[in-house]
Amino acid sequence: MNNSNHLVNSDNVGYAAYLFEQDKNRGHLPGEGPYVAAFASSNLGDVSPNILGPHCINTGESCDNANSSCPIGGPEMCMASGPGQDMLESTQMIGHLLYERAKELYASASQEVTGSLASAHQWVNMSDVTVWLNSTHTVKTCKPALGYSFAAGTIDGVGGLNFSQGTMEEDPFWKMIRDQLLGIPSEEIKECHKPKPILLHTGELSKPHPWHPDIIDVQILTLGSLSIAAIPGEFTTMSGRRLREAVEAEFTSNGMKNMTVVISGLCNVYTHYITTYEEYQAQRYEAASTIYGPHTLSAYIQLFKVLAKAIATDTVGNLSSGPEPPYFKQLIIPLIPNIVDRAPIGTTFGDVLQPLKQIYRVGEVAEVTFVGANPKHSAENQFLLAQRTRRSQQCNSAVAYSKHHSARNLQNKILWKLPQAEFPHTCHTSI
Protein backbone atom coordinates (compact mmCIF):
# COMPACT_ATOMS: atom_id res chain seq x y z
CA MET A 1 0.00 0.00 0.00
CA ASN A 2 1.56 3.31 -1.03
CA ASN A 3 0.95 6.79 0.34
CA SER A 4 -1.99 7.42 -1.99
CA ASN A 5 -4.04 5.05 0.18
CA HIS A 6 -6.27 7.04 2.57
CA LEU A 7 -7.67 4.04 4.44
CA VAL A 8 -6.25 2.33 7.52
CA ASN A 9 -5.57 -1.28 6.62
CA SER A 10 -2.98 -4.05 6.55
CA ASP A 11 -0.07 -4.12 4.15
CA ASN A 12 1.14 -7.38 2.61
CA VAL A 13 2.71 -8.80 5.78
CA GLY A 14 -0.33 -7.82 7.82
CA TYR A 15 -2.52 -9.62 5.31
CA ALA A 16 -0.26 -12.68 5.55
CA ALA A 17 -0.68 -12.66 9.34
CA TYR A 18 -4.44 -12.32 8.90
CA LEU A 19 -4.55 -15.36 6.57
CA PHE A 20 -2.40 -17.45 8.92
CA GLU A 21 -4.55 -16.59 11.93
CA GLN A 22 -7.76 -17.33 10.03
CA ASP A 23 -6.33 -20.73 9.08
CA LYS A 24 -5.49 -21.50 12.72
CA ASN A 25 -8.56 -19.86 14.27
CA ARG A 26 -11.36 -21.49 12.30
CA GLY A 27 -14.77 -20.16 13.29
CA HIS A 28 -13.38 -16.98 14.87
CA LEU A 29 -13.51 -13.42 13.58
CA PRO A 30 -10.10 -11.89 12.87
CA GLY A 31 -8.26 -10.98 16.06
CA GLU A 32 -10.54 -13.02 18.31
CA GLY A 33 -9.01 -16.51 18.17
CA PRO A 34 -6.32 -17.97 20.46
CA TYR A 35 -3.58 -18.24 17.79
CA VAL A 36 -1.46 -15.15 17.07
CA ALA A 37 0.66 -14.95 13.90
CA ALA A 38 3.29 -12.23 13.50
CA PHE A 39 5.26 -11.44 10.36
CA ALA A 40 7.84 -9.21 12.01
CA SER A 41 10.11 -6.66 10.32
CA SER A 42 13.75 -7.57 9.81
CA ASN A 43 16.31 -5.80 7.58
CA LEU A 44 13.77 -4.47 5.07
CA GLY A 45 14.99 -0.93 4.58
CA ASP A 46 15.47 -1.23 0.81
CA VAL A 47 12.96 -4.02 0.09
CA SER A 48 9.82 -3.48 -1.97
CA PRO A 49 6.97 -5.89 -2.75
CA ASN A 50 6.17 -3.90 -5.90
CA ILE A 51 7.91 -6.38 -8.17
CA LEU A 52 6.97 -4.74 -11.49
CA GLY A 53 9.38 -1.95 -10.60
CA PRO A 54 9.15 1.82 -11.03
CA HIS A 55 7.35 3.31 -14.02
CA CYS A 56 6.23 6.80 -14.96
CA ILE A 57 2.53 6.87 -14.16
CA ASN A 58 1.89 9.42 -16.91
CA THR A 59 3.76 7.71 -19.78
CA GLY A 60 4.29 4.11 -18.68
CA GLU A 61 8.02 4.13 -19.39
CA SER A 62 10.57 2.81 -16.88
CA CYS A 63 12.10 5.24 -14.39
CA ASP A 64 14.52 2.75 -12.84
CA ASN A 65 17.39 5.26 -12.74
CA ALA A 66 19.65 6.78 -10.09
CA ASN A 67 17.26 9.67 -9.44
CA SER A 68 13.98 7.73 -9.86
CA SER A 69 12.78 10.54 -12.10
CA CYS A 70 10.62 10.77 -15.23
CA PRO A 71 11.38 12.89 -18.32
CA ILE A 72 7.94 14.45 -18.01
CA GLY A 73 6.81 15.32 -14.50
CA GLY A 74 10.05 14.51 -12.66
CA PRO A 75 10.32 12.25 -9.59
CA GLU A 76 6.70 12.74 -8.53
CA MET A 77 5.59 10.68 -11.52
CA CYS A 78 7.89 7.72 -10.74
CA MET A 79 6.09 5.01 -8.74
CA ALA A 80 6.50 1.26 -8.38
CA SER A 81 3.62 -1.18 -8.71
CA GLY A 82 2.72 -4.81 -9.09
CA PRO A 83 2.13 -7.63 -9.23
CA GLY A 84 -1.59 -6.78 -9.22
CA GLN A 85 -3.65 -4.30 -11.17
CA ASP A 86 -3.86 -1.95 -8.17
CA MET A 87 -2.23 -1.69 -4.75
CA LEU A 88 -5.03 -3.54 -2.94
CA GLU A 89 -4.80 -6.51 -5.27
CA SER A 90 -0.99 -6.44 -5.01
CA THR A 91 -1.25 -6.43 -1.21
CA GLN A 92 -3.44 -9.53 -1.32
CA MET A 93 -1.28 -11.36 -3.88
CA ILE A 94 2.03 -10.77 -2.09
CA GLY A 95 0.45 -11.40 1.31
CA HIS A 96 -0.97 -14.70 0.10
CA LEU A 97 2.44 -15.79 -1.20
CA LEU A 98 4.03 -14.93 2.16
CA TYR A 99 1.31 -16.88 3.97
CA GLU A 100 1.71 -19.95 1.75
CA ARG A 101 5.48 -20.04 2.24
CA ALA A 102 5.17 -19.46 5.98
CA LYS A 103 2.64 -22.28 6.17
CA GLU A 104 5.10 -24.63 4.41
CA LEU A 105 7.91 -23.65 6.80
CA TYR A 106 5.62 -24.04 9.80
CA ALA A 107 4.56 -27.53 8.71
CA SER A 108 8.12 -28.69 7.98
CA ALA A 109 9.83 -27.17 11.05
CA SER A 110 11.87 -29.82 12.86
CA GLN A 111 14.16 -27.93 15.26
CA GLU A 112 12.70 -26.93 18.61
CA VAL A 113 14.19 -23.83 20.21
CA THR A 114 15.27 -24.75 23.72
CA GLY A 115 17.86 -23.56 26.19
CA SER A 116 18.52 -20.72 28.56
CA LEU A 117 17.31 -17.16 28.09
CA ALA A 118 19.75 -14.25 28.18
CA SER A 119 19.66 -10.55 27.37
CA ALA A 120 22.09 -7.66 27.08
CA HIS A 121 21.09 -4.00 26.74
CA GLN A 122 22.91 -0.67 26.64
CA TRP A 123 22.08 2.97 26.15
CA VAL A 124 24.46 4.64 23.69
CA ASN A 125 25.07 8.22 22.62
CA MET A 126 24.84 7.40 18.93
CA SER A 127 25.91 10.88 17.86
CA ASP A 128 29.35 10.40 19.43
CA VAL A 129 30.55 6.82 18.87
CA THR A 130 34.22 6.25 18.05
CA VAL A 131 34.41 3.46 15.48
CA TRP A 132 37.58 1.44 15.01
CA LEU A 133 38.01 0.66 11.31
CA ASN A 134 41.20 -1.26 12.08
CA SER A 135 43.85 -1.33 14.78
CA THR A 136 45.18 2.14 13.90
CA HIS A 137 42.34 4.15 12.31
CA THR A 138 39.13 5.48 13.85
CA VAL A 139 36.12 7.47 12.62
CA LYS A 140 33.11 8.89 14.45
CA THR A 141 29.36 8.99 14.09
CA CYS A 142 27.59 12.34 13.66
CA LYS A 143 24.89 14.42 15.20
CA PRO A 144 21.61 13.50 13.46
CA ALA A 145 20.76 15.06 10.11
CA LEU A 146 18.56 14.32 7.11
CA GLY A 147 19.68 14.79 3.52
CA TYR A 148 17.81 16.24 0.55
CA SER A 149 16.88 12.80 -0.80
CA PHE A 150 14.95 12.12 2.41
CA ALA A 151 12.31 14.58 1.17
CA ALA A 152 12.11 12.74 -2.16
CA GLY A 153 10.54 9.66 -0.62
CA THR A 154 10.85 6.37 -2.49
CA ILE A 155 9.31 4.68 -5.49
CA ASP A 156 6.82 3.09 -3.07
CA GLY A 157 5.73 6.52 -1.83
CA VAL A 158 7.14 9.62 -3.46
CA GLY A 159 7.55 12.91 -1.65
CA GLY A 160 6.42 16.26 -2.96
CA LEU A 161 7.99 19.57 -3.95
CA ASN A 162 10.07 17.92 -6.70
CA PHE A 163 12.91 16.60 -4.51
CA SER A 164 14.75 13.72 -6.16
CA GLN A 165 16.74 10.76 -4.92
CA GLY A 166 20.49 10.78 -5.41
CA THR A 167 20.80 14.51 -4.71
CA MET A 168 24.44 15.35 -3.93
CA GLU A 169 24.35 19.14 -3.75
CA GLU A 170 22.36 21.73 -1.81
CA ASP A 171 19.51 23.53 -3.50
CA PRO A 172 19.81 27.35 -3.12
CA PHE A 173 16.07 27.83 -2.64
CA TRP A 174 15.59 25.18 0.05
CA LYS A 175 18.87 26.21 1.68
CA MET A 176 17.54 29.74 2.04
CA ILE A 177 14.20 28.52 3.47
CA ARG A 178 15.96 26.25 5.98
CA ASP A 179 18.46 28.89 7.07
CA GLN A 180 15.70 31.46 7.62
CA LEU A 181 13.36 29.14 9.53
CA LEU A 182 15.71 26.78 11.38
CA GLY A 183 19.14 28.37 11.32
CA ILE A 184 22.36 27.42 9.55
CA PRO A 185 23.89 23.96 10.11
CA SER A 186 27.31 23.99 11.71
CA GLU A 187 30.40 23.24 9.65
CA GLU A 188 31.04 20.28 11.97
CA ILE A 189 27.77 18.53 11.11
CA LYS A 190 28.09 19.29 7.39
CA GLU A 191 31.61 17.89 7.28
CA CYS A 192 30.73 14.80 9.29
CA HIS A 193 27.82 13.81 7.02
CA LYS A 194 29.61 14.19 3.67
CA PRO A 195 28.76 13.38 0.91
CA LYS A 196 25.22 13.97 2.22
CA PRO A 197 23.99 17.52 1.56
CA ILE A 198 22.07 18.41 4.71
CA LEU A 199 18.47 19.48 4.38
CA LEU A 200 17.54 19.32 8.09
CA HIS A 201 20.23 19.48 10.79
CA THR A 202 17.95 17.80 13.31
CA GLY A 203 20.74 17.07 15.78
CA GLU A 204 21.14 20.81 16.30
CA LEU A 205 17.43 21.55 16.68
CA SER A 206 15.92 21.28 20.16
CA LYS A 207 12.66 23.25 20.22
CA PRO A 208 10.14 22.31 21.51
CA HIS A 209 12.00 19.01 21.99
CA PRO A 210 15.07 17.47 20.30
CA TRP A 211 14.09 16.60 16.75
CA HIS A 212 16.06 13.34 16.81
CA PRO A 213 17.45 11.24 19.65
CA ASP A 214 21.13 11.27 20.54
CA ILE A 215 20.81 8.47 23.08
CA ILE A 216 19.40 5.22 21.69
CA ASP A 217 19.42 1.64 22.92
CA VAL A 218 20.97 -1.54 21.53
CA GLN A 219 19.87 -4.96 22.70
CA ILE A 220 20.37 -8.67 22.07
CA LEU A 221 18.21 -11.49 23.39
CA THR A 222 19.18 -15.16 23.14
CA LEU A 223 17.13 -18.29 23.66
CA GLY A 224 19.28 -21.37 23.26
CA SER A 225 20.82 -21.20 19.78
CA LEU A 226 18.57 -18.32 18.66
CA SER A 227 19.82 -14.75 18.92
CA ILE A 228 17.59 -11.74 18.24
CA ALA A 229 19.29 -8.42 17.59
CA ALA A 230 16.88 -5.58 18.42
CA ILE A 231 17.63 -2.78 15.95
CA PRO A 232 16.27 0.75 16.55
CA GLY A 233 15.68 1.46 12.87
CA GLU A 234 15.46 0.00 9.37
CA PHE A 235 18.53 -1.82 8.08
CA THR A 236 19.00 -2.33 4.36
CA THR A 237 19.43 -5.89 3.08
CA MET A 238 23.23 -5.74 2.99
CA SER A 239 23.48 -3.88 6.31
CA GLY A 240 21.51 -6.67 7.93
CA ARG A 241 23.66 -9.34 6.34
CA ARG A 242 26.86 -7.73 7.61
CA LEU A 243 25.52 -7.31 11.13
CA ARG A 244 24.28 -10.91 11.33
CA GLU A 245 27.62 -12.26 10.13
CA ALA A 246 29.57 -10.10 12.59
CA VAL A 247 27.39 -11.03 15.58
CA GLU A 248 27.46 -14.73 14.69
CA ALA A 249 31.26 -14.62 14.36
CA GLU A 250 31.53 -12.89 17.74
CA PHE A 251 29.43 -15.58 19.39
CA THR A 252 31.53 -18.30 17.74
CA SER A 253 34.86 -16.79 18.76
CA ASN A 254 33.67 -16.69 22.37
CA GLY A 255 32.49 -20.28 22.54
CA MET A 256 28.84 -20.07 21.44
CA LYS A 257 28.86 -21.94 18.14
CA ASN A 258 26.06 -22.52 15.64
CA MET A 259 24.06 -19.49 16.73
CA THR A 260 21.26 -18.33 14.42
CA VAL A 261 21.16 -14.53 14.43
CA VAL A 262 17.87 -12.85 13.53
CA ILE A 263 17.37 -9.12 13.12
CA SER A 264 14.27 -7.54 14.59
CA GLY A 265 13.93 -4.07 13.13
CA LEU A 266 12.07 -1.02 14.43
CA CYS A 267 12.75 -1.89 18.08
CA ASN A 268 12.71 0.34 21.16
CA VAL A 269 13.34 3.72 19.53
CA TYR A 270 13.15 4.79 15.87
CA THR A 271 16.24 6.19 14.15
CA HIS A 272 15.20 6.02 10.48
CA TYR A 273 17.39 3.95 8.13
CA ILE A 274 20.84 2.34 8.29
CA THR A 275 22.70 1.79 5.02
CA THR A 276 26.17 0.42 4.31
CA TYR A 277 29.03 2.87 3.80
CA GLU A 278 28.92 2.13 0.06
CA GLU A 279 25.16 2.70 -0.18
CA TYR A 280 25.57 5.94 1.72
CA GLN A 281 27.73 7.35 -1.08
CA ALA A 282 24.82 7.17 -3.57
CA GLN A 283 22.53 9.26 -1.31
CA ARG A 284 19.25 7.72 -2.26
CA TYR A 285 16.33 7.96 0.19
CA GLU A 286 17.63 5.38 2.68
CA ALA A 287 21.12 6.90 2.73
CA ALA A 288 19.79 10.43 3.18
CA SER A 289 17.76 9.01 6.08
CA THR A 290 20.80 7.42 7.76
CA ILE A 291 20.84 10.10 10.40
CA TYR A 292 24.13 9.39 12.21
CA GLY A 293 26.35 9.65 9.15
CA PRO A 294 28.30 7.33 6.83
CA HIS A 295 29.73 5.13 9.60
CA THR A 296 26.42 4.33 11.29
CA LEU A 297 26.44 0.65 10.32
CA SER A 298 30.03 0.17 11.49
CA ALA A 299 29.07 1.70 14.84
CA TYR A 300 26.13 -0.66 15.24
CA ILE A 301 28.27 -3.69 14.35
CA GLN A 302 30.85 -2.65 16.95
CA LEU A 303 28.18 -2.12 19.61
CA PHE A 304 26.34 -5.38 18.97
CA LYS A 305 29.60 -7.34 19.04
CA VAL A 306 30.13 -6.02 22.58
CA LEU A 307 26.68 -7.30 23.59
CA ALA A 308 27.24 -10.69 21.95
CA LYS A 309 30.58 -11.14 23.70
CA ALA A 310 29.05 -10.22 27.06
CA ILE A 311 26.35 -12.88 26.66
CA ALA A 312 28.79 -15.52 25.42
CA THR A 313 31.23 -14.93 28.30
CA ASP A 314 28.48 -14.47 30.92
CA THR A 315 29.70 -10.95 31.73
CA VAL A 316 26.49 -8.99 31.04
CA GLY A 317 26.53 -7.81 34.64
CA ASN A 318 29.80 -6.00 33.97
CA LEU A 319 28.38 -3.96 31.07
CA SER A 320 27.83 -0.27 31.63
CA SER A 321 24.17 0.66 31.26
CA GLY A 322 25.27 3.77 29.34
CA PRO A 323 23.97 7.35 29.49
CA GLU A 324 20.37 7.71 30.61
CA PRO A 325 18.02 9.03 27.89
CA PRO A 326 16.08 12.23 28.57
CA TYR A 327 12.57 12.02 29.96
CA PHE A 328 10.00 14.43 28.55
CA LYS A 329 7.23 15.25 31.00
CA GLN A 330 5.30 17.47 28.63
CA LEU A 331 4.39 16.04 25.24
CA ILE A 332 4.09 18.19 22.14
CA ILE A 333 0.66 19.83 21.79
CA PRO A 334 -1.32 18.03 19.03
CA LEU A 335 -1.51 19.98 15.79
CA ILE A 336 -4.98 18.59 15.02
CA PRO A 337 -7.54 19.71 17.63
CA ASN A 338 -10.16 17.33 18.94
CA ILE A 339 -13.62 18.46 17.85
CA VAL A 340 -16.73 17.41 19.76
CA ASP A 341 -18.93 15.13 17.65
CA ARG A 342 -22.40 16.49 17.01
CA ALA A 343 -24.99 14.97 14.72
CA PRO A 344 -26.46 17.31 12.07
CA ILE A 345 -29.68 19.11 12.98
CA GLY A 346 -32.66 16.82 12.63
CA THR A 347 -30.62 13.61 12.87
CA THR A 348 -29.10 11.40 15.51
CA PHE A 349 -26.07 9.17 15.38
CA GLY A 350 -27.01 5.90 13.72
CA ASP A 351 -29.63 7.35 11.35
CA VAL A 352 -29.41 5.50 8.04
CA LEU A 353 -29.06 7.80 5.04
CA GLN A 354 -28.69 5.08 2.41
CA PRO A 355 -30.05 1.67 3.48
CA LEU A 356 -28.93 -1.77 2.39
CA LYS A 357 -30.85 -3.79 -0.15
CA GLN A 358 -32.66 -6.89 1.08
CA ILE A 359 -30.80 -9.29 -1.21
CA TYR A 360 -27.32 -9.31 -2.75
CA ARG A 361 -25.76 -11.71 -5.21
CA VAL A 362 -22.19 -13.04 -5.18
CA GLY A 363 -19.84 -10.43 -6.63
CA GLU A 364 -21.96 -7.45 -5.61
CA VAL A 365 -20.94 -4.83 -3.05
CA ALA A 366 -23.23 -4.11 -0.11
CA GLU A 367 -23.16 -0.43 0.85
CA VAL A 368 -24.84 1.48 3.67
CA THR A 369 -24.47 5.13 4.70
CA PHE A 370 -25.37 6.40 8.15
CA VAL A 371 -24.69 9.30 10.52
CA GLY A 372 -21.65 8.52 12.65
CA ALA A 373 -19.02 10.12 14.82
CA ASN A 374 -15.29 10.42 14.16
CA PRO A 375 -13.87 6.85 14.31
CA LYS A 376 -10.74 8.00 16.15
CA HIS A 377 -12.92 8.96 19.13
CA SER A 378 -14.06 5.36 19.60
CA ALA A 379 -12.64 3.22 22.40
CA GLU A 380 -13.81 0.09 20.55
CA ASN A 381 -11.63 -1.91 18.18
CA GLN A 382 -14.61 -3.12 16.16
CA PHE A 383 -16.06 -0.57 13.74
CA LEU A 384 -18.03 -2.86 11.47
CA LEU A 385 -19.71 -6.24 11.76
CA ALA A 386 -21.37 -7.80 8.71
CA GLN A 387 -23.95 -10.42 9.62
CA ARG A 388 -25.56 -12.99 7.35
CA THR A 389 -29.21 -13.98 7.76
CA ARG A 390 -29.77 -17.73 7.63
CA ARG A 391 -33.26 -18.81 6.56
CA SER A 392 -35.12 -22.01 7.24
CA GLN A 393 -35.58 -24.15 4.13
CA GLN A 394 -39.06 -25.19 5.34
CA CYS A 395 -40.68 -21.79 5.81
CA ASN A 396 -38.11 -19.40 4.32
CA SER A 397 -38.11 -17.34 7.52
CA ALA A 398 -35.11 -15.80 9.21
CA VAL A 399 -34.00 -17.91 12.14
CA ALA A 400 -30.56 -16.58 13.08
CA TYR A 401 -27.87 -14.05 12.40
CA SER A 402 -24.27 -15.24 12.13
CA LYS A 403 -21.13 -13.10 12.42
CA HIS A 404 -19.68 -13.14 8.94
CA HIS A 405 -17.16 -10.32 8.52
CA SER A 406 -15.61 -7.60 10.65
CA ALA A 407 -13.70 -4.40 9.91
CA ARG A 408 -10.49 -6.44 9.94
CA ASN A 409 -11.51 -8.28 6.76
CA LEU A 410 -9.76 -6.68 3.81
CA GLN A 411 -12.90 -6.83 1.61
CA ASN A 412 -14.67 -4.42 3.98
CA LYS A 413 -14.23 -0.66 3.79
CA ILE A 414 -15.38 2.11 6.12
CA LEU A 415 -15.31 5.66 4.74
CA TRP A 416 -15.88 8.60 7.11
CA LYS A 417 -16.46 12.01 5.60
CA LEU A 418 -17.06 15.42 7.09
CA PRO A 419 -19.25 17.40 4.66
CA GLN A 420 -20.57 20.80 5.59
CA ALA A 421 -23.62 19.60 7.48
CA GLU A 422 -23.31 15.83 7.91
CA PHE A 423 -21.15 13.18 9.56
CA PRO A 424 -21.80 10.15 7.33
CA HIS A 425 -20.15 6.76 7.51
CA THR A 426 -20.27 4.61 4.40
CA CYS A 427 -19.56 0.91 4.83
CA HIS A 428 -18.78 -1.40 1.91
CA THR A 429 -18.54 -5.17 2.07
CA SER A 430 -17.85 -7.43 -0.90
CA ILE A 431 -20.15 -10.45 -1.20
Side-chain angles (χ1 to χ4, degrees), residues 197-236:
I198 292 177
L199 176 64
L200 297 172
H201 48 305
T202 54
E204 297 178 331
L205 302 175
S206 58
K207 294 181 180 180
H209 295 302
W211 285 34
H212 270 142
D214 288 323
I215 299 174
I216 59 96
D217 45 355
V218 291
Q219 185 177 20
I220 290 182
L221 299 95
T222 60
L223 176 58
S225 62
L226 175 65
S227 171
I228 301 175
I231 306 296
E234 301 182 63
F235 270 37
T236 61

Side-chain angles (χ1 to χ4, degrees), residues 93-337:
M93 291 173 69
I94 294 293
H96 196 271
L97 289 173
L98 290 171
Y99 156 69
E100 290 288 351
R101 181 56 177 153
K103 191 176 179 181
E104 291 175 10
L105 292 171
Y106 182 88
S108 62
S110 59
Q111 181 183 353
E112 184 178 2
V113 178
T114 61
S116 60
L117 178 66
S119 174
H121 175 279
Q122 276 189 314
W123 297 104
V124 178
N125 184 352
M126 198 63 188
S127 64
D128 189 27
V129 177
T130 299
V131 182
W132 288 86
L133 297 179
N134 52 46
S135 60
T136 58
H137 290 77
T138 63
V139 290
K140 298 197 73 170
T141 54
C142 313
K143 292 181 180 179
L146 292 163
Y148 276 73
S149 297
F150 155 77
T154 74
I155 55 175
D156 286 343
V158 296
L161 305 175
N162 213 36
F163 285 94
S164 64
Q165 295 197 69
T167 299
M168 305 298 287
E169 295 180 357
E170 288 189 313
D171 180 275
F173 173 77
W174 290 112
K175 178 180 180 296
M176 178 188 67
I177 296 294
R178 179 205 61 208
D179 293 352
Q180 291 294 321
L181 294 178
L182 303 174
I184 301 173
S186 67
E187 288 301 319
E188 175 191 0
I189 199 170
K190 290 195 290 185
E191 185 67 27
C192 188
H193 277 270
K194 285 184 176 179
K196 177 198 293 180
I198 292 177
L199 176 64
L200 297 172
H201 48 305
T202 54
E204 297 178 331
L205 302 175
S206 58
K207 294 181 180 180
H209 295 302
W211 285 34
H212 270 142
D214 288 323
I215 299 174
I216 59 96
D217 45 355
V218 291
Q219 185 177 20
I220 290 182
L221 299 95
T222 60
L223 176 58
S225 62
L226 175 65
S227 171
I228 301 175
I231 306 296
E234 301 182 63
F235 270 37
T236 61
T237 301
M238 186 55 69
S239 292
R241 184 180 301 177
R242 291 181 184 178
L243 181 80
R244 285 197 304 269
E245 291 176 350
V247 171
E248 182 181 349
E250 191 68 20
F251 275 124
T252 300
S253 65
N254 286 280
M256 291 182 66
K257 298 181 179 180
N258 302 316
M259 293 292 290
T260 298
V261 180
V262 175
I263 287 177
S264 180
L266 306 159
C267 288
N268 297 321
V269 65
Y270 184 66
T271 63
H272 291 261
Y273 289 75
I274 300 96
T275 65
T276 66
Y277 178 83
E278 294 82 3
E279 291 164 342
Y280 189 90
Q281 307 309 306
Q283 278 302 298
R284 288 179 61 81
Y285 170 79
E286 296 83 8
S289 305
T290 299
I291 62 174
Y292 299 111
H295 303 290
T296 301
L297 174 61
S298 297
Y300 275 120
I301 290 175
Q302 180 174 291
L303 293 166
F304 275 92
K305 286 172 67 176
V306 171
L307 300 182
K309 182 177 181 179
I311 292 175
T313 58
D314 196 22
T315 57
V316 173
N318 297 334
L319 282 176
S320 166
S321 61
E324 284 290 323
Y327 177 75
F328 303 109
K329 295 181 180 179
Q330 179 63 47
L331 297 177
I332 296 174
I333 299 174
L335 298 178
I336 302 175

Side-chain angles (χ1 to χ4, degrees), residues 381-392:
N381 291 323
Q382 190 64 271
F383 298 105
L384 176 152
L385 185 65
Q387 295 177 313
R388 177 165 53 187
T389 306
R390 300 188 181 277
R391 298 181 180 276
S392 168

Side-chain angles (χ1 to χ4, degrees), residues 51-63:
I51 58 177
L52 297 184
H55 291 81
C56 301
I57 58 176
N58 52 352
T59 65
E61 61 186 304
S62 173
C63 51

